[in-house]
Amino acid sequence: MEMPAKAPKPAPRLIFQERLRITALPLYYGGFLSVRYPQDQYWTELRGTTLFFYSDKKNTKYIDKLDLINLMSVADINPAQSSCAMFILMLPDEEVEIKIDDPERGEEWKSFILTVRELSVPPSGSLLPSQVTRLREVLARERKRRAALEKPVAAEKCFYAVSRKEAVEMLEKDPTSGNLILRPGSDCKNYSVTIRQVIDAPCIKHYRVVSTGQAYRIDVDKPVRGYFFVIWKQKLKLCLPIQLSK
């Protein structure tokens, strides 16, 4: 029986931890991919339902990403050389052509992508039992992750009696658990909100929550009216109207 190709070695621990902090998504699979759009080879990681592309295996910041949640299908391409695998990721707004030097690795890539997209292990006669086991493990992790995203978060879980520094450390240490902490203000009379945002790169922002008597005001850049959870005897309860203002 032909032995499966060895799985790519994982990135060093510090690099792995930094990528997890930046992406806030679990790693399911990784390796080098040649992407025709743009046409180049990248170290690529499948995290959640997103492909993250890195210029090399040691870089912690991704240079591009591709969300697969709306993936419609994966179309095989018959390459002229049988020593590689090629397929197209069919998305609503684009088609991304992928090339992998190892045909078996290409089959694995397709299987992992389809597993997280469809939430089921695709049938494949070329995968070994050990590879199917890995797919089932990833499937279980992704189902658990999706379920956590859909589960409503209790308001009481947002408030922690921590300092500004401690709030930042909590959000950076475990980004998959949430991105917002409501905490006591520095004046011990009002409150503050610490938020971790990921746009091009992670950033932490702090906002003051000031009592106006019958309501609370959150100081933000653009005024917006809304509702907020008020704190009473260490419990969060909805909801007094608030004025969000600069």
Side-chain angles (χ1 to χ4, degrees):
M1 178 184 296
E2 184 179 354
M3 296 298 292
K6 293 183 179 179
K9 293 183 179 179
R13 183 174 180 81
L14 291 179
I15 296 176
F16 172 83
Q17 291 177 338
E18 183 64 9
R19 287 177 180 169
L20 174 61
R21 185 187 71 82
I22 292 174
T23 63
L25 289 168
L27 173 63
Y28 294 151
Y29 196 68
F32 283 103
L33 295 183
S34 294
V35 185
R36 294 292 181 88
Y37 177 72
Q39 187 173 3
D40 210 342
Q41 188 177 71
Y42 303 96
W43 175 260
T44 308
E45 293 185 343
L46 175 63
R47 292 179 174 273
T49 56
T50 304
L51 291 175
F52 290 90
F53 302 102
Y54 299 86
S55 57
D56 56 56
K57 192 174 181 179
K58 296 182 179 180
N59 206 315
T60 58
K61 295 183 179 179
Y62 62 88
I63 58 176
D64 204 353
K65 63 180 180 179
L66 182 65
D67 191 351
L68 302 175
I69 195 64
N70 294 319
L71 179 69
M72 298 183 295
S73 63
V74 178
D76 286 317
I77 301 175
N78 294 322
Q81 300 177 350
S82 59
S83 59
C84 67
M86 297 175 64
F87 54 85
I88 298 176
L89 301 177
M90 311 293 289
L91 296 158
D93 300 323
E94 62 180 329
E95 297 180 1
V96 182
E97 187 173 317
I98 303 293
K99 178 182 177 182
I100 302 98
D101 292 336
D102 187 319
E104 184 176 321
R105 189 73 62 222
E107 187 65 25
E108 273 195 311
W109 266 110
K110 285 193 302 179
S111 298
F112 275 96
I113 288 173
L114 290 172
T115 294
V116 298
R117 171 60 185 90
E118 303 295 338
L119 286 183
S120 63
V121 175
S124 176
S126 60
L127 293 181
L128 297 176
S130 60
Q131 295 170 313
V132 175
T133 298
R134 290 177 59 199
L135 289 173
R136 289 173 178 168
E137 291 172 351
V138 165
L139 174 60
R141 293 172 62 192
E142 179 61 12
R143 282 178 172 170
K144 183 177 180 180
R145 187 185 76 88
R146 299 267 194 101
L149 291 176
E150 296 172 358
K151 183 179 180 180
V153 179
E156 290 82 357
K157 298 299 183 180
C158 298
F159 178 74
Y160 293 90
V162 296
S163 66
R164 178 185 177 120
K165 180 180 178 182
E166 289 171 330
V168 172
E169 291 175 349
M170 288 173 65
L171 292 175
E172 290 185 337
K173 182 179 180 180
D174 189 9
T176 60
S177 294
N179 69 338
L180 180 150
I181 290 178
L182 179 63
R183 57 184 175 81
S186 57
D187 59 3
C188 299
K189 296 180 181 179
N190 296 294
Y191 303 94
S192 296
V193 174
T194 298
I195 299 175
R196 180 182 185 274
Q197 296 176 308
V198 179
I199 304 176
D200 294 327
C203 66
I204 299 289
K205 292 187 178 182
H206 308 275
Y207 301 100
R208 291 184 300 171
V209 183
V210 182
S211 173
T212 61
Q214 296 300 316
Y216 281 82
R217 184 187 75 245
I218 301 182
D219 295 338
V220 296
D221 296 332
K222 296 181 180 180
V224 179
R225 284 200 62 85
Y227 292 86
F228 195 64
F229 292 95
V230 299
I231 300 174
W232 181 254
K233 294 182 180 179
Q234 297 299 320
K235 292 185 178 180
L236 295 178
K237 296 184 179 180
L238 190 70
C239 65
L240 289 177
I242 58 167
Q243 172 68 45
L244 282 67
S245 61
K246 186 174 180 180

